[in-house]
């Protein structure tokens, strides 16, 4: 008598096909979730990195000119010229700032109380990507990394040229934001919406600076092969169009230099 129990070949093939469909669907869901997790992690890291760098830079810049003893020592902002990726003066380079404040409150400008902030490409940190560095130029050429994967920084300045306690304004009654776009020691007005600049024919006097506007653009550590960033980022006077597989985040802040112009 024939044994009719068990599965036919067709039933086995159907079972295998159904199993493959289920496994394929499960893998697709897993792969999608994993990719989204990676994207969110990269974006979160970029945002956290950006905030930490902005917070540190804000605290330091806010202290520029601090001199509780009110001595004649020249504390304040001393240089705002643009620099290239190798930290040399270059009008086509990145925004840069050098300033000092009385960190030990002794009324004397010590060598370690001058700080400069710049974007530099370091082969020992993230090759091919500029990082935000802090340096004490009167002490050492060594730099400390404030944040990695900061690909652009923009700085603009508001001044009180007549010491009347009011920031200078443009023709529309808005705060006049200035840069030295061509490193010629003359102020250029900045259109914060387009990054365009125009020479106003006034010599740069860093002692008149009362506020600093900071833009920072960060890049995720890893690329997303399924994404192309189509955005144009206005980073002060820098116009950045990444057009690559990295995700980017931009942060902007205005810092009031309350210790400037007190002497």
């Amino acid at each position: 008598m024939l044994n009719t129990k068990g599965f036919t070949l067709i039933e086995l093939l159907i079972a295998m096909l159904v199993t493959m469909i289920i496994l394929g669907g499960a893998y697709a869901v897993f792969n999608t979730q994993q990719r989204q997790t990676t994207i969110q992690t990269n974006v979160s890291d970029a945002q956290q990195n950006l905030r930490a760098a902005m917070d540190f830079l804000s605290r330091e810049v806010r202290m520029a000119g601090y001199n509780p003893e009110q001595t004649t020592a020249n504390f304040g902002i001393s240089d705002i010229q643009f620099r290239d990726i190798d930290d040399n003066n270059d009008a086509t380079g990145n925004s840069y700032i050098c300033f000092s404040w009385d960190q030990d409150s002794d009324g004397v400008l010590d060598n370690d109380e001058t700080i400069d902030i710049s974007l530099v490409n370091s082969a020992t940190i993230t090759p091919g990507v500029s990082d935000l560095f802090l340096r004490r130029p009167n002490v050492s050429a060594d730099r400390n990394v404030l944040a990695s994967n900061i690909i652009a920084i923009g700085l603009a300045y508001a001044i009180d040229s007549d010491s009347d306690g009011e920031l200078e304004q443009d023709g529309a009654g808005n705060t006049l934001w200035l840069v030295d776009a061509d490193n010629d020691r003359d102020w250029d007005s900045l259109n914060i919406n387009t990054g365009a600049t125009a020479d106003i024919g006034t010599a740069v006097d860093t002692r008149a600076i009362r506020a600093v506007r900071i833009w920072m653009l960060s890049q995720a550590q890893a690329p997303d092969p399924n994404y192309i960033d189509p955005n144009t980022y206005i980073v002060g006077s820098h116009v950045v169009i990444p057009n690559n597989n990295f995700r980017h985040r931009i942060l902007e802040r205005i810092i009031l230099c309350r210790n400037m112009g007190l002497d």
Side-chain angles (χ1 to χ4, degrees), residues 58-210:
S58 298
R59 289 195 301 270
E60 291 295 316
V61 171
R62 187 175 291 115
M63 294 301 294
Y66 175 72
N67 180 9
E69 298 299 319
Q70 292 296 294
T71 60
T72 57
N74 191 24
F75 292 99
I77 297 173
S78 55
D79 192 1
I80 59 166
Q81 289 191 307
F82 288 25
R83 296 199 171 194
D84 62 21
I85 205 67
D86 297 316
D87 205 24
N88 300 311
N89 281 0
D90 183 352
T92 64
N94 307 287
S95 292
Y96 160 88
I97 187 170
C98 182
F99 58 94
S100 57
W101 60 281
D102 193 4
Q103 298 177 30
D104 56 9
S105 301
D106 66 351
V108 178
L109 179 55
D110 302 315
N111 285 338
D112 62 351
E113 292 176 336
T114 297
I115 298 168
D116 63 25
I117 305 290
S118 59
L119 284 181
V120 180
N121 185 1
S122 171
T124 62
I125 307 298
T126 47
V129 175
S130 54
D131 300 296
L132 189 65
F133 283 85
L134 176 149
R135 181 176 62 133
R136 300 182 188 275
N138 297 333
V139 176
S140 170
D142 294 338
R143 299 181 178 90
N144 297 314
V145 180
L146 297 180
S148 294
N149 294 295
I150 304 296
I151 64 171
I153 179 172
L155 300 169
Y157 308 90
I159 64 172
D160 178 10
S161 58
D162 53 9
S163 300
D164 65 351
E166 299 292 335
L167 297 178
E168 303 304 321
Q169 297 182 337
D170 60 21
N174 301 312
T175 298
L176 180 63
W177 291 103
L178 303 170
V179 296
D180 181 8
D182 44 12
N183 283 3
D184 65 351
R185 300 292 183 182
D186 280 342
W187 282 125
D188 301 283
S189 62
L190 172 67
N191 184 325
I192 62 174
N193 297 312
T194 66
T197 61
D199 193 347
I200 64 173
T202 302
V204 169
D205 180 4
T206 57
R207 296 171 300 176
I209 294 174
R210 299 293 180 268

